[in-house]
Amino acid sequence: MLFEGTIKLVRENSVHSAGYTIIKQELADLYGYLKDLHLDEITYLNSLKFDKRKSSYLLGRISAKSALSKIIPAKIAMNSFKVGFGVFQFPVIEYLPYSGFQVSITHCDAIGISMAYPEAHPIGIDIERINPDKVDLMVSMFTKEEIILVNSELNDKATAYTLLWTVKEGLSKILKTGMMIDFKYLELDSLNYKDGIYTGNFKNFTQYKSFSIVLKSYIISIICPRNTNINLTDFTKDLTCLNSLS
């Protein structure tokens, strides 16, 4: 299954558009999208030894290209450009005949989600499975204040810590550091729930805010500039459809 759409990013003096794609496919079905891959992407795919890595790579590239197609000025062949890697593994768009676009990619299990956006307006996104076995690993990456904060908003520790992890991971993608930064510097200092979405603000990166959506088994967090008004209604509906079919 594949869901796609656009999101308006409204600021005081400007309006931007982001494109998104949500895909849920097993590896065997993902091979049906090979025609959309650039030759360099096919070469890289063939270099991967394990099916899990092949699946995550395809989920990322397929969703990224689809998301980009929602906001670039004209329709072009998906195999005419590629989504490569930066030095810290962040996605880099190459050979696209239009400049000024970037994409944030996340994947977990058989799910891939990408958000394409103009360089003028950064976005980060992350998805994680809620897994009680990872609680001890995650909690070591948080401050005491964050632990108190998320536990006051969410009763289940695995859900609370997974939400916090996705928020930090999403912010690290905007900063283009990935796991190279100490997650405690990405401290969340507020969290509020309204209409199915948890909204947070950061202690050190006050120019950004987070939006987190809790599904049955997963949590998805989006990070964007703090003074942007963003309508996630359609995106949330698509995630709800995905959740009901999971």
Side-chain angles (χ1 to χ4, degrees), residues 10-242:
V10 181
R11 296 182 60 80
E12 183 178 1
N13 297 312
S14 61
V15 178
H16 309 272
S17 290
Y20 71 85
T21 294
I22 306 164
I23 183 172
K24 186 173 187 290
Q25 296 278 0
E26 299 296 337
L27 180 58
D29 295 317
L30 290 172
Y31 283 127
Y33 293 90
L34 291 182
K35 66 183 185 305
D36 292 331
L37 296 189
H38 186 274
L39 180 60
D40 290 351
E41 292 171 324
I42 292 176
T43 300
Y44 181 81
L45 175 67
N46 290 336
S47 74
L48 300 174
K49 296 180 179 180
F50 302 106
D51 285 351
K52 185 176 181 180
R53 280 290 296 121
K54 291 179 180 179
S55 178
S56 62
Y57 181 75
L58 285 170
L59 286 168
R61 269 55 203 168
I62 293 163
S63 62
K65 292 189 168 201
S66 175
L68 283 161
S69 74
K70 305 300 292 183
I71 60 170
I72 57 178
K75 185 177 178 61
I76 64 171
M78 292 294 102
N79 61 9
S80 66
F81 68 95
K82 80 173 198 177
V83 182
F85 296 101
V87 294
F88 294 131
Q89 298 303 298
F90 52 82
V92 176
I93 304 165
E94 300 179 50
Y95 312 131
L96 188 70
Y98 308 102
S99 61
F101 296 97
Q102 296 192 27
V103 65
S104 183
I105 299 171
T106 186
H107 44 74
C108 185
D109 301 332
I111 300 170
I113 306 176
S114 289
M115 280 203 170
Y117 56 91
E119 288 182 350
H121 191 289
I123 290 178
I125 187 166
D126 191 60
I127 180 173
E128 298 288 343
R129 172 181 280 277
I130 301 169
N131 184 352
D133 294 337
K134 292 185 176 181
V135 166
D136 291 340
L137 171 64
M138 289 188 292
V139 75
S140 66
M141 307 288 278
F142 307 150
T143 66
K144 293 179 180 178
E145 291 77 12
E146 286 178 311
I147 293 170
I148 294 171
L149 175 65
V150 294
N151 283 332
S152 70
E153 293 291 333
L154 294 138
N155 294 325
D156 177 66
K157 281 188 176 358
T159 302
Y161 298 157
T162 304
L163 184 149
L164 188 50
W165 182 277
T166 61
V167 166
K168 289 170 175 280
E169 183 77 12
L171 179 57
S172 76
K173 290 179 179 180
I174 282 187
L175 300 176
K176 298 191 186 309
T177 62
M179 297 295 289
M180 302 297 291
I181 190 172
D182 186 337
F183 266 25
K184 291 178 181 177
Y185 290 123
L186 309 179
E187 183 176 353
L188 197 72
D189 71 351
S190 72
L191 188 66
N192 298 287
Y193 179 81
K194 183 180 179 180
D195 299 331
I197 296 177
Y198 291 88
T199 304
N201 294 303
F202 298 94
K203 180 178 179 179
N204 299 312
F205 294 90
T206 56
Q207 68 269 46
Y208 294 112
K209 61 184 174 183
S210 64
F211 300 93
S212 300
I213 302 161
V214 179
L215 303 180
K216 182 167 53 181
S217 301
Y218 301 91
I219 296 179
I220 295 90
S221 289
I222 297 169
I223 316 301
C224 75
R226 186 170 184 167
N227 292 328
T228 294
N229 290 318
I230 178 171
N231 187 333
L232 294 173
T233 301
D234 290 341
F235 181 74
T236 303
K237 284 180 180 178
D238 287 341
L239 287 176
T240 302
C241 291
L242 178 73

